[in-house]
Amino acid sequence: MNKELIIVLDFGGQYNQLIARRVRECGVYAEIHPYTEDVDTIAALAPKGIIFTGGPNSVFDPKSPHYSREIFKLGIPILGICYGAQLMAYELDGEVATAPVSEYGHTQVKVDKRSVLFTDVEEETTAWMSHTDYIKRAPEGFKVTASTANCPVAAMEDSSRAFYAVQFHPEVRHTKEGMKILRHFVIDVCGCSGDWKMDDFIESTVRALREEIGSDGVVLGLSGGVDSSVAAALLSRAVGKQLTCVFVDQGLMRKDEGDEVEAAFKGLFDMNFVRVNCQEEFLTALKGVTDPEDKRHIIGSRFYEVFWDIVREKYSDGYFAQGTIYPDRIESGKGDAAKIKTHHNQVAMPGDITFKGVIEPLKDLFKDEVREVGEKLGLPHSLVWRQPFPGPGLGVRVIGEITAEKVKILQEADAVLRDEMKKCGYEEQMAQFFAVLPGVHTVGVMGDHRTYDELVAIRAVTTDDFMTAEWARIPYDILTRVSNRIINEVDHVNRVVYDITSKPPGTVEWE
């Protein structure tokens, strides 16, 4: 158990994971809990502070998320953000009303620098607003500590009870000095030391894994992605050869990727590595299939069958490990939280397989924290910083029917793109880039001969969160080199095009 904990009480806002992540950047462990968590459970966790998140609702709506006033009697510091600020005012008998003028986006805020939250914040700063209701009158005992042209109570506090509220969102980068404000709450108000580090996480997790697993075996499905790779490295450090990693190579990975995964784990870690090569099996199941959802279903189902057949045969005792990370648990429905989507590493195992338990060593970490752990454990940089890759692999980057020849063409074209991006140093400026085989044949001339061959499309985007994305403005000279190399080095390709569609209206992947 972490000695210092901040609870982020989720009222349905879009930035709730970001709030917890920002608190962790302050060196303090944070967990997200649903607003339905009862007050006794929260009290038993003994948090150093509580943060009420934003949310899309109005406190006037009886169906909107509310919380028992008993939480204000726990003697624990509380920070309300946006809806959370309005809820604090409402529950403590202040006045909340529909704002005469709604505020969205960058807003100039005047702050009272005598407040502990704003001691080193500029007297007039920029914050990110997103609200239609506002606090019209602060509750008794509170003083107003910030305002805008249209919001008389942009922040308020009752320092005697350690209750603080801000109408804006300090957790987003658009709020210029938001991290200062959060740090003041976490460190100065809550009294946290800010010494939670990844080194401590690794040591304590390895110790706990050894204690839980004992002399038993552990089996992990290794995809080669960041999460499962880091989970494997952590388990290897804990129990060594007691760990078996089953790597199902369905033949739809990027060029040489299966070999790279095998080399990394066999060469660097003490474990039992089992590779199952089954491209032919997958391609047979996909013969004649063109619908993208059908392809996804077949690839996912077949992967599931192959993996569990191997487990049944040799590794069905001991423990089962997964690379589940914190956002997976939240989005798949944690406790009474709303279920957003089911993640591949949160799917139930077959009923005929019984393990002693399921182990999820990364279940409390965000993606960037997982990467940090991977670096500290000695995983290759290319694995730790691997770009997002769809579960069905190249199966959804080959448009139409998938064949061995098409997969080979796409692997080679994608490898050229990656090589050029690495050589010119441009890869660091993009969130994701890859090649697509749209299944379009075009006329061309190569030498003195007419050709009628494949078209390759290049997709590259920049984004912070993948909710929206801009097409990457790759310089023409780089695109020229990529195009020339693909046409000259990859058989059966005579044309290269660049996708300049942003998200929305397009998606990052083509299927």
Side-chain angles (χ1 to χ4, degrees):
M1 177 65 69
N2 296 280
K3 64 178 181 177
E4 295 179 340
L5 168 67
I6 298 292
I7 286 180
V8 177
L9 207 55
D10 183 358
F11 289 97
Q14 62 178 318
Y15 302 127
N16 300 341
Q17 291 186 35
L18 187 56
I19 295 171
R21 185 64 198 93
R22 294 289 183 250
V23 172
R24 292 188 185 187
E25 286 178 18
C26 296
V28 179
Y29 183 70
E31 285 184 353
I32 299 172
H33 289 253
Y35 77 92
T36 50
E37 197 100 278
D38 66 82
V39 71
D40 291 335
T41 300
I42 288 178
L45 292 170
K48 299 279 283 185
I50 299 169
I51 298 177
F52 291 176
T53 75
N57 305 94
S58 170
V59 293
F60 307 123
D61 185 349
K63 294 181 181 178
S64 67
H66 284 70
Y67 203 82
S68 168
R69 294 189 180 197
E70 295 300 310
I71 198 167
F72 297 107
K73 300 177 182 178
L74 295 178
I76 297 171
I78 299 175
L79 171 65
I81 294 175
C82 195
Y83 176 85
Q86 296 167 14
L87 185 65
M88 181 183 288
Y90 182 83
E91 295 291 351
L92 295 176
D93 300 320
E95 185 179 354
V96 180
T98 300
V101 179
S102 299
E103 290 179 308
Y104 296 100
H106 294 94
T107 306
Q108 290 302 111
V109 180
K110 292 182 178 180
V111 305
D112 183 345
K113 293 174 67 70
R114 292 171 296 180
S115 167
V116 65
L117 296 187
F118 305 127
T119 51
D120 56 352
V121 173
E122 294 176 12
E123 192 169 346
E124 187 164 328
T125 188
T126 303
W128 185 260
M129 289 282 196
S130 179
H131 67 99
T132 53
D133 292 344
Y134 75 143
I135 301 168
K136 187 174 183 179
R137 178 179 55 81
E140 186 177 347
F142 280 76
K143 70 174 182 178
V144 177
T145 55
S147 62
T148 74
N150 298 304
C151 185
V153 187
M156 65 179 190
E157 67 181 52
D158 180 345
S159 58
S160 65
R161 292 186 287 175
F163 295 158
Y164 297 81
V166 292
Q167 181 60 66
F168 52 87
H169 288 273
E171 71 275 15
V172 302
R173 295 299 187 197
H174 303 296
T175 297
K176 183 180 176 182
E177 299 175 274
M179 276 303 295
K180 291 180 182 178
I181 295 166
L182 285 174
R183 181 175 292 276
H184 284 313
F185 175 73
V186 170
I187 304 298
D188 300 329
V189 175
C190 299
C192 295
S193 61
D195 60 359
W196 185 68
K197 301 186 297 293
M198 280 299 112
D199 289 331
D200 297 335
F201 169 82
I202 293 171
E203 291 175 13
S204 62
T205 301
V206 166
R207 193 163 50 245
L209 287 170
R210 286 173 179 162
E211 184 176 336
E212 181 177 4
I213 296 166
S215 60
D216 289 308
V218 186
V219 64
L220 169 74
L222 182 65
S223 69
V226 178
D227 303 335
S228 65
S229 296
V230 175
L234 197 55
L235 282 160
S236 173
R237 175 169 291 191
V239 297
K241 288 289 188 184
Q242 291 169 239
L243 170 66
T244 296
C245 287
V246 178
F247 173 48
V248 177
D249 186 347
Q250 85 287 57
L252 299 173
M253 301 182 76
R254 288 167 286 207
K255 184 180 179 181
D256 300 329
E257 204 160 39
D259 294 339
E260 291 169 3
V261 170
E262 181 173 5
F265 283 95
K266 278 189 171 180
L268 295 174
F269 298 98
D270 186 26
M271 64 171 66
N272 179 27
F273 184 92
V274 178
R275 181 175 179 178
V276 187
N277 293 310
C278 46
Q279 183 189 56
E280 188 174 338
E281 195 174 318
F282 275 73
L283 292 179
T284 299
L286 289 162
K287 187 174 178 59
V289 179
T290 59
D291 182 86
E293 283 307 303
D294 289 342
K295 289 194 289 186
R296 287 178 183 275
H297 176 72
I298 290 168
I299 294 169
S301 299
R302 194 70 199 113
F303 186 96
Y304 185 86
E305 291 166 5
V306 170
F307 175 77
W308 288 112
D309 282 348
I310 295 293
V311 171
R312 281 189 189 91
E313 185 180 336
K314 295 181 178 179
Y315 311 107
S316 58
D317 56 355
Y319 291 87
F320 176 60
Q322 300 184 105
T324 310
I325 66 174
Y326 198 41
D328 296 342
R329 293 200 294 142
I330 297 166
E331 293 174 2
S332 294
K334 177 177 179 286
D336 293 318
K339 180 176 177 178
I340 299 172
K341 58 184 175 180
T342 300
H343 284 256
H344 66 280
N345 51 10
Q346 290 261 285
V347 177
M349 67 184 71
D352 64 321
I353 296 180
T354 56
F355 285 100
K356 290 185 177 180
V358 176
I359 292 172
E360 298 171 316
L362 307 176
K363 67 182 185 299
D364 294 325
L365 299 187
F366 288 98
K367 178 70 80 173
D368 54 341
E369 294 170 327
V370 172
R371 295 188 196 277
E372 186 179 347
V373 170
E375 294 271 23
K376 290 182 178 295
L377 290 171
L379 278 170
H381 183 82
S382 59
L383 263 181
V384 173
W385 292 98
R386 185 186 187 210
Q387 288 189 7
F389 193 58
L394 299 181
V396 290
R397 291 181 182 171
V398 172
I399 312 302
E401 183 182 7
I402 304 168
T403 66
E405 183 182 34
K406 289 180 181 178
V407 170
K408 176 69 172 174
I409 291 170
L410 185 54
Q411 285 177 330
E412 295 296 335
D414 192 74
V416 169
L417 172 64
R418 292 183 176 283
D419 184 52
E420 282 299 324
M421 293 301 104
K422 184 176 181 179
K423 281 180 179 177
C424 70
Y426 206 77
E427 62 181 349
E428 302 296 334
Q429 299 181 43
M430 293 179 289
Q432 193 173 4
F433 57 92
F434 53 87
V436 179
L437 197 67
V440 175
H441 285 74
T442 71
V443 175
V445 178
M446 299 181 75
D448 295 323
H449 301 284
R450 176 185 182 276
T451 63
Y452 190 63
D453 266 326
E454 298 279 0
L455 175 150
V456 166
I458 296 170
R459 179 68 161 148
V461 298
T462 58
T463 180
D464 291 328
D465 55 14
F466 284 93
M467 300 296 288
T468 61
E470 287 288 327
W471 62 274
R473 273 60 172 178
I474 299 175
Y476 291 158
D477 59 330
I478 298 176
L479 288 173
T480 299
R481 288 200 301 273
V482 171
S483 176
N484 288 340
R485 281 194 59 192
I486 289 176
I487 290 170
N488 288 321
E489 297 176 23
V490 182
D491 291 338
H492 305 297
V493 176
N494 68 357
R495 191 179 299 265
V496 176
V497 299
Y498 187 46
D499 181 351
I500 59 169
T501 312
S502 293
K503 176 186 179 183
T507 55
V508 176
E509 296 287 346
W510 276 38
E511 282 193 340

